């Protein structure tokens, strides 16, 4: 019991999600339907990525990407490289996956170059890049994928509607980076290259192959995703079972608890009746607000049946991730990666994240509202 209490005290997001899940069970009693409503697909994909990326870390698979990034010798150029690496990759491999790839690289590079004071603002802007870059494509984020599948429009029309927000966000991110380094735009970073592993890990090809399988599972949106989970975890169990002990299961359970909470809330008839009257005509603000309680993916699922404006709902859901950590579960991933590297610094992360993300939100929230009148 002492170990459990110590873990809950140390892991703030896990504690919040667990408390929310327990409270939700009083709203809607547990049932087999509740278990079916949990997003096991997302949880399975997350488990695969956590396993594979832990393998990448062990085998130094991403060192070539670090070497490529160091061709941008200034902090401005390096930050733009990582931020827009997230921005564009999130369009194809989803926002959470892009953060899991680039945030550890950012921490490694800035720490190795003695510029740790810039890590928090840069990974916060990477978080914004993940949220705003992924909105362009139907499969850039889980909420996009869910809503697109129900809108009944072409991918081209969907992307046309999302393009103004995406392009505007790209320009705004560049401005934010220039403001960050405004006192010295050409400040250099000198990375200790001895920290790069020159050898090739014996299992590097093995983990690259598993990574390819995970990416194909995400992009093809196959209904046999569960088979990929079995293959990935089974292969690691056979070839490198000790790695499974290093996987961040705290993050996995944090997601699980949030899904239990959102499923319980959505299944409550009284809440559903209230939403049917309250949401219509206010989809944009409801998507933003509800996402701060249950995150934007469950909020999209809950609100869609009561929405009369597709554009307002998806614009709101894709803007919600700028308000708080809970607004987008991709932000929870970002937070978790940082506190694993810097234990006890969760409050610092929340402070910087809130300051920068709210500044960005304040600029884009009204244009998003105005665009929501554009019928999708």
């Amino acid at each position: 019991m002492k170990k459990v209490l110590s873990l809950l005290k140390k892991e703030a997001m896990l504690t919040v999600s667990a408390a929310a899940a327990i409270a939700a069970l009083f709203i809607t009693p547990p049932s087999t339907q509740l278990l079916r409503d949990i997003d096991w697909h997302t949880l399975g994909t997350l488990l695969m990525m956590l396993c594979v990326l832990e393998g990448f870390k062990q085998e130094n698979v991403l060192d070539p990407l670090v070497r490529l990034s160091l061709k941008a010798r200034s902090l401005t150029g390096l930050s733009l490289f990582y931020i827009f690496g997230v921005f564009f990759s999130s369009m194809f491999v989803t926002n959470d996956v892009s953060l899991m790839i680039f945030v550890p690289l950012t921490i490694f590079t800035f720490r190795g170059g003695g510029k740790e004071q810039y890590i928090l603002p840069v990974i916060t802007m990477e978080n914004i890049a993940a949220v705003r870059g992924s909105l362009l494509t139907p499969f850039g984020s889980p909420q996009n994928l869910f809503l697109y599948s129900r809108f009944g429009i072409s991918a081209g029309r969907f992307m046309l509607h999302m393009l103004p927000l995406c392009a505007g966000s790209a320009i705004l991110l560049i401005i934010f980076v220039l403001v960050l380094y405004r006192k010295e735009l050409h400040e250099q970073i000198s990375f200790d290259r001895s920290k790069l592993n020159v050898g090739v890990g014996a299992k590097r090809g093995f983990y690259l192959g598993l990574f390819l399988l995970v990416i194909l599972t995400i992009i093809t949106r196959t209904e046999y995703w569960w088979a990929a989970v079995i293959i990935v975890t089974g292969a690691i169990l056979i070839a490198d079972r000790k790695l499974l002990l290093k996987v961040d299961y705290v993050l996995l359970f944090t997601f699980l608890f949030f899904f239990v909470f959102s499923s319980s809330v959505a299944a409550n008839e009284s809440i559903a009746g209230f939403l049917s009257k309250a949401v219509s005509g206010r989809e944009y603000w409801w998507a933003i607000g509800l996402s701060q309680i249950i995150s934007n993916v469950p909020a999209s699922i809950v609100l869609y049946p009561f929405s009369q404006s597709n554009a307002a709902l998806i614009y709101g859901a894709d803007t919600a991730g700028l308000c708080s950590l809970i607004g987008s579960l991709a932000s929870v991933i970002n937070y978790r990666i940082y506190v694993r590297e810097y234990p006890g610094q969760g409050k610092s992360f929340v402070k910087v994240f809130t300051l920068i993300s709210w500044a960005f939100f304040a600029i884009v929230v009204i244009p998003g509202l105005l665009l929501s009148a554009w019928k999708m």
Side-chain angles (χ1 to χ4, degrees):
M1 180 60 71
K2 288 184 178 180
K3 290 183 178 179
V4 172
L5 292 175
S6 177
L7 177 65
L8 291 175
K9 183 177 180 180
K10 180 181 177 181
E11 305 293 349
M13 289 302 296
L14 177 66
T15 304
V16 171
S17 63
I22 294 171
L25 295 179
F26 289 96
I27 298 174
T28 304
S31 64
T32 56
Q33 183 61 44
L34 174 62
L35 290 175
R36 287 194 292 268
D37 289 341
I38 292 174
D39 191 348
W40 297 108
H41 184 181
T42 296
L43 290 173
T45 302
L46 179 60
L47 175 61
M48 289 191 292
M49 284 303 304
L50 289 173
C51 289
V52 171
L53 292 176
E54 192 64 43
F56 276 17
K57 182 179 179 181
Q58 175 180 287
E59 302 297 318
N60 303 296
V61 172
L62 297 175
D63 279 2
L65 187 56
V66 175
R67 290 190 179 92
L68 177 62
S69 71
L70 292 175
K71 291 184 178 181
R73 297 187 179 276
S74 72
L75 282 171
T76 303
L78 183 63
S79 298
L80 288 172
F81 176 87
Y82 282 137
I83 290 168
F84 279 91
V86 174
F87 187 84
F88 290 110
S89 65
S90 67
M91 299 176 184
F92 305 100
V93 298
T94 74
N95 49 21
D96 48 0
V97 173
S98 65
L99 286 172
M100 284 193 281
I101 294 172
F102 281 95
V103 171
L105 288 178
T106 303
I107 294 173
F108 175 72
T109 307
F110 278 75
R111 178 188 285 164
K115 301 293 183 180
E116 289 183 275
Q117 69 270 29
Y118 294 112
I119 288 177
L120 272 177
V122 171
I123 66 173
T124 296
M125 283 187 271
E126 287 176 2
N127 200 96
I128 296 171
V131 171
R132 304 303 281 181
S134 63
L135 62 79
L136 180 65
T137 62
F139 43 80
S141 64
Q143 72 271 13
N144 276 21
L145 182 58
F146 170 78
L147 293 173
Y148 170 73
S149 67
R150 285 156 177 78
F151 285 172
I153 61 174
S154 67
R157 183 169 179 80
F158 179 93
M159 294 174 68
L160 178 65
H161 272 77
M162 309 308 282
L163 182 60
L165 293 180
C166 185
S169 297
I171 296 170
L172 195 54
L173 277 168
I174 294 173
I175 295 172
F176 270 51
V177 172
L178 296 179
V179 170
L180 175 63
Y181 298 115
R182 62 191 179 280
K183 294 182 179 179
E184 186 53 79
L185 285 176
H186 303 290
E187 183 176 352
Q188 301 291 300
I189 181 169
S190 179
F191 185 83
D192 182 2
R193 292 181 179 269
S194 67
K195 295 180 180 293
L196 290 173
N197 198 316
V198 295
V200 177
K203 298 185 179 71
R204 182 173 289 191
F206 170 73
Y207 283 109
L208 282 171
L210 293 182
F211 180 70
L212 179 60
L213 173 61
V214 176
I215 295 302
L216 288 174
T217 302
I218 294 170
I219 293 176
T220 59
R221 307 196 296 275
T222 175
E223 62 183 22
Y224 299 108
W225 57 268
W226 52 269
V229 175
I230 294 173
I231 292 171
V232 170
T233 54
I236 295 175
L237 182 63
I238 295 170
D240 197 5
R241 67 180 61 188
K242 290 184 179 179
L243 181 131
L244 293 175
L245 299 176
K246 303 176 183 178
V247 173
D248 188 4
Y249 294 108
V250 168
L251 179 60
L252 197 66
F253 276 99
T254 299
F255 269 55
L256 173 61
F257 290 145
F258 275 129
F259 284 138
V260 170
F261 175 78
S262 61
S263 298
S264 298
V265 170
N268 184 275
E269 293 183 2
S270 298
I271 294 176
F274 168 75
L275 291 175
S276 65
K277 299 177 182 178
V279 172
S280 182
R282 307 177 187 88
E283 292 89 349
Y284 185 74
W285 297 114
W286 265 97
I288 293 175
L290 186 60
S291 296
Q292 309 317 306
I293 303 174
I294 61 175
S295 88
N296 53 8
V297 179
S300 299
I301 297 171
V302 171
L303 295 176
Y304 174 73
F306 313 110
S307 174
Q308 300 298 316
S309 172
N310 292 340
L313 179 60
I314 198 165
Y315 287 162
D318 284 334
T319 302
L322 301 173
C323 296
S324 70
L325 286 179
I326 297 176
S328 170
L329 291 180
S331 305
V332 178
I333 290 175
N334 201 352
Y335 170 86
R336 181 62 191 158
I337 293 171
Y338 181 78
V339 296
R340 285 194 84 188
E341 295 292 331
Y342 295 96
Q345 295 299 310
K347 290 183 179 179
S348 298
F349 181 97
V350 173
K351 180 179 178 181
V352 175
F353 176 92
T354 303
L355 178 64
I356 297 176
S357 290
W358 265 91
F360 202 96
F361 173 77
I363 297 171
V364 303
V365 64
I366 299 303
L369 176 63
L370 296 175
L371 279 170
S372 66
W374 183 14
K375 188 175 180 180
M376 183 175 283

